Amino acid sequence: METTSSTPSSVTPPWDVFPQKTLDSIDIAVLVLYFLFVLAVGLWSMWKTQRSTVKGYFLAGGQMVWWPVGASLFASNVGSGHFIGLAGSGAASGIAATAYEWNGMFCVLVLAWLFLPIYIAAGVTTMPEYLRKRFGGKRIQMFLAILYLFIYIFTKISVDMYAGALFIQQALHWDLYIAVAGLLAITAVYTVAGGLAAVIYTDALQTFIMLIGAVTLMVFSFVEVGGLEGLQTKYFDAIPSTRKENSSCGLPREDAFHIFRDPVNSDLPWPGVLVGMTIPSLWYWCTDQVIVQRSLAAKNLSHAKGGSLMTSYLKILPLFMMVMPGMISRILFPDLVACADAEICRKICGNPSGCSDIAYPKLVIELLPVGLRGLMMSVMIAALMSSLTSIFNSASTIFTMDLWKHFRPRCSEWELMIVGRVFVLLLTVVSILWIPLVQAGQGGQLFIYIQSISSYLQPPVAMVFILGCFWKRANEKGAFWGLVIGLLLGVIRLVLDFIYPEPQCGEIDLRPGVVKYMHYLYFSMVLAAISTLTVLVVSMLTEPPSEEMISRLTWFTRGDLPVKKDLAVSPSPDAAKGVCEAERPALQIDISIASENSSNDNKLMFSDRL
């Protein structure tokens, strides 16, 4: 039964959520300045760095100092999906989603202190390439390269495009496709032309702009609501005026200010937060191409560690910059952000599951004065562009170095550069075509959608990397079957989730038990255990890996017979040689550094042929 209060008039027409039809001229001037500034930095970094070689294009020449690396790690991680999604989760259920961010604080340090020394010693450019060197054979490398591209399109590109589109469409009232095509065109210009160096320098600028804008909005939000005390008292009164009586629909969660929640009945159970969340988080921070590629571009291991430390400190901020402003948005606009009636939600944002994802854009449009609104638009666009450029560059690296070179092993370095650039353009087109699908398929909480998909696809990959790096006995057959069985189970659960979506508030839950009672974070733990067990058993029952598949490729053997004394701690030009060594006589990558180390190259090439 409905409550007696009528539907607020502000809710009835969908466009009234964002009544501001156009930006003021000052806001537009700020936006234009921002775009010119980004293009200038992108073009400057293109001329500053060497882009004509594979190492120069895909690893920024291995010459980055710590602060652009740290800023780029943060900007690649925090896309527009974070702003929309974390604020939406804050509005819907409180601060618990912060656990994902704080989990990342530790995992990014694990990357720099444990995984990077192994990757640098191995001399790899991509993560599937590391597994090919560690386990031999081609099937794991091909399997993973395709899986990574799949994960990028389904979770990263699509979610960031959706979040950016939500902002552009609802807050700016621009035509969606023209706006996104324009954004992607600017993004593609410096990604295609400048490679990783251009991406990292523009990321550093975007991080600076993001922090200024987000902190500004945070200050305005807290002032509006009366500080932290005001947030803690008023949040529990943020109830929509139209909701079903005698049900919890539309009511704030009682544990809204708890990160560790009930292990059985809550939305984020604490054992899942501690263990189940850490496994996909290790995959993301320690084995994902987007993140590792930035760290490999660092001048040496000390700079890579410095970058990771900087990112770790910055990861404290999302609770205050995104989650809490999302909760404040619910307090200020409860009928819109916290709508509990499916029909009203559909009118407000077109999504019957809930409208918590409009929390952040609503705050920007309503609270900020002229000029700052333009700055905040720049922030959202910065977040979208920085994460997209990172994904474009990393996806093109994987496609070029793992898939293209597999089919054309003797291709020239020039051909690799062309293919890498063309693939970025192809991804740009795919991104634009993907928007309507994502808009149609999203649930009420964008951030939780990303995390649940991650929990189904990433644990098997994470466990194979961890065992490959830290257990010398792991072999190719064990790793392959661990991946196949783990991913098969993950895909089954993913399909079940799409067939049986979560019922809306107040509806009877008719989902099968494995979906209904097993939280996705618990499923992540089970999946990791099954994958680990498979790798252990199959590896022990089959022949051990050969010496060349262990030397310089695990934590315990990373110091074996270095070609140069400092190879294990510096991603020097020599480190790039690993890219081609294992395939054929070193022809391609060595060309890029022949002028620097010609005598060494000749020795290596000669020994390869022997």
Side-chain angles (χ1 to χ4, degrees):
M1 183 193 155
E2 296 288 311
T3 50
T4 48
S5 55
S6 60
T7 307
S9 57
S10 63
V11 172
T12 321
W15 53 86
D16 269 2
V17 181
F18 297 103
Q20 176 93 12
K21 283 290 183 290
T22 52
L23 286 176
D24 289 60
S25 50
I26 299 171
D27 292 324
I28 292 167
V30 170
L31 263 177
V32 169
L33 273 173
Y34 158 74
F35 277 121
L36 289 174
F37 204 28
V38 168
L39 267 177
V41 169
L43 292 168
W44 168 79
S45 56
M46 277 163 51
W47 302 127
K48 184 179 181 297
T49 52
Q50 182 189 27
R51 300 170 288 127
S52 56
T53 66
V54 168
K55 185 160 191 265
Y57 186 78
F58 291 123
L59 285 182
Q63 291 302 310
M64 287 290 162
V65 292
W66 65 273
W67 63 267
V69 170
S72 184
L73 282 172
F74 183 72
S76 308
N77 171 233
V78 177
S80 49
H82 260 68
F83 278 95
I84 301 279
L86 273 177
S89 292
S93 65
I95 67 168
T98 312
Y100 288 102
E101 300 307 294
W102 289 0
N103 204 302
M105 285 169 60
F106 300 102
C107 292
V108 70
L109 299 179
V110 171
L111 164 70
W113 268 263
L114 295 181
F115 283 85
L116 261 191
I118 304 169
Y119 297 150
I120 290 169
V124 291
T125 313
T126 72
M127 294 297 94
E129 182 197 353
Y130 167 77
L131 288 189
R132 191 210 68 219
K133 286 182 143 195
R134 172 65 180 84
F135 295 119
K138 286 278 185 183
R139 58 185 183 173
I140 291 182
Q141 182 183 16
M142 302 298 292
F143 188 52
L144 264 204
I146 293 164
L147 176 73
Y148 271 43
L149 293 175
F150 177 86
I151 288 175
Y152 287 161
I153 289 171
F154 268 87
T155 62
K156 298 189 176 186
I157 294 178
S158 62
V159 164
D160 278 334
M161 293 300 293
Y162 166 76
L166 184 86
F167 215 87
I168 290 162
Q169 193 178 31
Q170 296 195 317
L172 300 184
H173 297 277
W174 292 353
D175 179 83
L176 185 62
Y177 288 93
I178 293 172
V180 170
L183 276 181
L184 287 171
I186 292 173
T187 304
V189 164
Y190 62 80
T191 311
V192 169
L196 186 63
V199 171
I200 286 182
Y201 279 119
T202 48
D203 275 357
L205 170 68
Q206 316 270 41
T207 301
F208 183 63
I209 292 169
M210 263 196 275
L211 291 175
I212 290 175
V215 169
T216 307
L217 181 62
M218 179 189 82
V219 171
F220 272 92
S221 306
F222 275 110
V223 167
E224 187 73 22
V225 87
L228 194 57
E229 292 82 5
L231 170 62
Q232 285 175 305
T233 53
K234 292 176 186 173
Y235 181 76
F236 295 103
D237 299 325
I239 301 166
S241 55
T242 305
R243 66 180 199 86
K244 292 186 179 72
E245 263 186 1
N246 305 322
S247 78
S248 60
C249 301
L251 293 178
R253 292 185 64 94
E254 288 176 18
D255 54 6
F257 286 91
H258 293 268
I259 287 182
F260 295 111
R261 297 181 173 180
D262 186 275
V264 181
N265 300 316
S266 67
D267 58 338
L268 286 174
W270 69 261
V273 166
L274 289 178
V275 182
M277 192 182 279
T278 306
I279 299 159
S281 195
L282 281 171
W283 173 85
Y284 179 77
W285 288 103
C286 302
T287 73
D288 182 16
Q289 182 67 23
V290 174
I291 298 298
V292 175
Q293 195 170 346
R294 268 132 203 77
S295 300
L296 287 174
K299 202 177 260 188
N300 54 40
L301 195 56
S302 300
H303 279 279
K305 286 179 175 177
S308 285
L309 269 173
M310 176 180 167
T311 308
S312 188
Y313 279 117
L314 288 174
K315 291 291 281 179
I316 297 169
L317 297 175
L319 169 63
F320 306 101
M321 288 191 331
M322 299 166 207
V323 178
M324 287 184 171
M327 297 170 80
I328 292 169
S329 186
R330 177 183 178 130
I331 294 169
L332 300 177
F333 319 105
D335 286 328
L336 300 172
V337 174
C339 67
D341 183 274
E343 279 310 306
I344 294 173
C345 289
R346 193 181 271 110
K347 285 176 188 171
I348 293 170
C349 64
N351 190 341
S353 319
C355 290
S356 56
D357 284 340
I358 67 166
Y360 206 81
K362 180 71 178 160
L363 218 51
V364 171
I365 297 295
E366 296 289 339
L367 285 194
L368 290 182
V370 173
L372 282 177
R373 207 179 290 141
L375 173 73
M376 206 57 218
M377 293 295 157
S378 309
V379 169
M380 291 302 297
I381 291 166
L384 174 66
M385 285 172 68
S386 63
S387 48
L388 281 181
T389 50
S390 305
I391 296 159
F392 285 173
N393 184 265
S394 297
S396 78
T397 308
I398 285 181
F399 180 80
T400 308
M401 307 307 279
D402 293 316
L403 296 178
W404 190 263
K405 278 184 67 180
H406 173 68
F407 297 113
R408 289 182 53 80
R410 290 188 176 276
C411 58
S412 66
E413 184 156 319
W414 178 245
E415 184 181 327
L416 290 178
M417 313 291 343
I418 297 295
V419 169
R421 287 170 160 96
V422 169
F423 189 71
V424 172
L425 293 175
L426 193 68
L427 269 181
T428 309
V429 175
V430 170
S431 303
I432 294 171
L433 297 176
W434 196 252
I435 298 169
L437 286 169
V438 183
Q439 279 182 303
Q442 294 300 335
Q445 284 192 62
L446 180 69
F447 196 70
I448 301 302
Y449 158 84
I450 315 167
Q451 302 307 337
S452 55
I453 287 191
S454 304
S455 300
Y456 304 146
L457 298 179
Q458 294 164 4
V461 185
M463 298 322 295
V464 164
F465 267 99
I466 290 167
L467 289 166
C469 287
F470 300 100
W471 188 45
K472 291 195 280 186
R473 185 66 178 76
N475 65 15
E476 197 269 350
K477 289 186 178 69
F480 180 75
W481 288 109
L483 274 176
V484 168
I485 290 170
L487 284 166
L488 201 62
L489 291 171
V491 168
I492 290 169
R493 171 67 197 253
L494 189 61
V495 170
L496 282 174
D497 263 20
F498 277 108
I499 296 172
Y500 301 104
E502 199 174 337
Q504 287 169 21
C505 186
E507 289 182 2
I508 300 164
D509 195 340
L510 299 172
R511 295 176 297 167
V514 68
V515 180
K516 186 176 176 180
Y517 298 115
M518 185 173 256
H519 193 278
Y520 64 83
L521 291 177
Y522 287 148
F523 188 80
S524 162
M525 292 157 71
V526 171
L527 205 51
I530 292 172
S531 302
T532 306
L533 210 58
T534 308
V535 177
L536 292 173
V537 170
V538 176
S539 292
M540 293 308 287
L541 293 176
T542 49
E543 69 283 350
S546 62
E547 188 58 39
E548 69 202 44
M549 288 176 192
I550 298 172
S551 177
R552 302 187 63 72
L553 292 166
T554 71
W555 174 258
F556 307 102
T557 58
R558 68 191 191 284
D560 287 7
L561 293 169
V563 178
K564 265 188 157 188
K565 212 173 184 183
D566 60 1
L567 188 59
V569 292
S570 170
S572 62
D574 288 10
K577 290 174 188 152
V579 174
C580 276
E581 264 170 37
E583 292 180 2
R584 303 260 173 123
L587 291 172
Q588 298 99 329
I589 306 298
D590 288 337
I591 295 168
S592 66
I593 42 174
S595 57
E596 298 173 42
N597 273 29
S598 54
S599 60
N600 235 5
D601 283 357
N602 293 338
K603 284 178 204 163
L604 260 170
M605 287 187 192
F606 182 67
S607 64
D608 269 0
R609 288 175 172 84
L610 292 176

